[in-house]
Each structure stands twice: as structure tokens, then as C-alpha cells.
Amino acid sequence: MSHHKAGARFGVSATSVSRWHQREREEGKPLSKALGGNWRSQAIEAHGTVILAIIAETRDIKLAEIKARQQEIGVRVNIAGLWRFFDPTGSRSKESAHAGEQDRPDVLTRREEWFEEQLDLDPERLVFINETLASTNMARRRGRSLRGELLRVGVPRGHWKTTPFVGALTLRGFIAP
């Protein structure tokens, strides 16, 4: 029977019949190949240790930069493939910015002392002052880390244009814009 007639008989295309026929001749078994999965991700997963090493080296790296670094060593990746790679590994894009001064030894000592003194504070008397703003700085605000791992990357202090909004919050609610 021709491939067109066989395809019509079994409800498949003539091309499918041709492929099955070719496979049966080559391998001696008329079985279909495994379906599903993403074959493009397999190449990325093969280099997963390199990708995770790049992240460990530069915690606030973006997917496009990972792609560029991978291409330097001869691996072709795309952003979507990287995104799929990071989803099952538990890596997430997270807020990363904190004041770089927090890492200085003198500031770290004062912060630890402040944390110890907080136990004596009365929550009813606390007023939290919060400033939110729009800023023109170009410091990175996000990075990647494994699930359950805190991401902390320092940002340099700079002179940027900002428009601030300051407010006070207590246990009773928002009291002073």
C-alpha cells in the first residue's frame, strides 16, 4: 500500500508513514520515538554546573548576561531556555540591593548591638518611618539565588536624583504622611 493510502487508512499523514517505514528499515522496530520534553533545555542542563558557577561568581547577574557568558565558552543558549533551567532548580530572581556600608566591620558591630537592644522595646510606642521614592540610579535591584538562600549584594553609594515620600506607621496604623 502507498504511504498516502496507509496514512488515510490509519488517520495519520503520509510523512508519518514514511518516517515509520524508514525507522523500521533502520532499526527493525516500528515504535514511535518518545514524545514531549524540551530537547533545547537538555543542552543547557548539560552545562548546569557552569551556569550555577557563573551565578555564584556574580550574584546580581541577569539572564542576558548569563547567555553572553555561556556563548563566550561556546554554548548556545537562549533566554527562554535559561528561564526553564532555573525554574526546577529553585533559583528565583530576588531583590538584592542593600546598603554596601552594612558590610563594614564598624557598622556591623553597631547593627548587632542594635538588634540585641530591640528586645527591650515596647511595640505600642514604636513609630516606623518609611521612605519610598522614585530614583534615577542604575544600581541593580535583583539577582538570583537558590530557593531558601538569602541573596545579598551590596550597591555603591551614589548621588542620584530622587523624589521621596516619607510616612510614619504605628500599631494603630498610618499616622503621618
Side-chain angles (χ1 to χ4, degrees):
M1 165 180 311
S2 74
H3 291 186
H4 287 285
K5 286 183 181 177
R9 164 78 172 84
F10 293 106
V12 296
S13 70
T15 305
S16 291
V17 174
S18 295
R19 288 183 186 144
W20 277 65
H21 183 70
Q22 179 70 26
R23 184 156 184 211
E24 184 178 13
R25 271 191 293 163
E26 290 173 356
E27 301 175 16
K29 48 186 164 183
L31 301 172
S32 65
K33 292 183 180 178
L35 298 176
N38 186 344
W39 61 271
R40 289 183 182 104
S41 295
Q42 293 171 357
I44 293 173
E45 289 170 6
H47 300 283
T49 54
V50 175
I51 295 170
L52 294 175
I54 289 170
I55 290 174
E57 180 183 315
T58 310
R59 299 294 301 264
D60 60 345
I61 196 165
K62 296 186 178 291
L63 291 178
E65 292 169 332
I66 295 172
K67 176 182 174 182
R69 292 276 302 274
Q70 287 288 89
Q71 287 175 342
E72 289 172 10
I73 60 172
V75 178
R76 289 185 58 205
V77 297
N78 60 23
I79 301 293
L82 285 170
W83 186 262
R84 284 189 298 272
F85 168 77
F86 285 120
D87 190 42
T89 63
S91 172
R92 296 283 187 256
S93 178
K94 298 181 178 180
E95 293 286 335
S96 65
H98 75 279
E101 293 83 9
Q102 290 180 8
D103 297 332
R104 287 191 346 228
D106 61 324
V107 175
L108 188 59
T109 303
R110 288 196 321 244
R111 285 174 55 83
E112 287 173 356
E113 290 170 0
W114 162 244
F115 288 135
E116 289 173 7
E117 293 171 3
Q118 285 182 3
L119 298 174
D120 299 329
L121 297 176
D122 179 15
E124 293 289 330
R125 300 191 63 201
L126 291 178
V127 177
F128 294 94
I129 307 227
N130 190 17
E131 177 184 24
T132 185
L133 50 94
S135 178
T136 60
N137 76 3
M138 300 302 288
R140 293 191 171 164
R141 304 253 185 227
R142 301 187 188 286
R144 294 194 166 274
S145 70
L146 296 176
R147 183 175 291 144
E149 185 179 326
L150 182 64
L151 174 63
R152 304 240 337 153
V153 179
V155 295
R157 186 168 179 263
H159 300 285
W160 302 306
K161 304 274 187 216
T162 59
T163 303
F165 176 80
V166 180
L169 184 67
T170 67
L171 285 178
R172 297 181 307 276
F174 193 69
I175 59 169

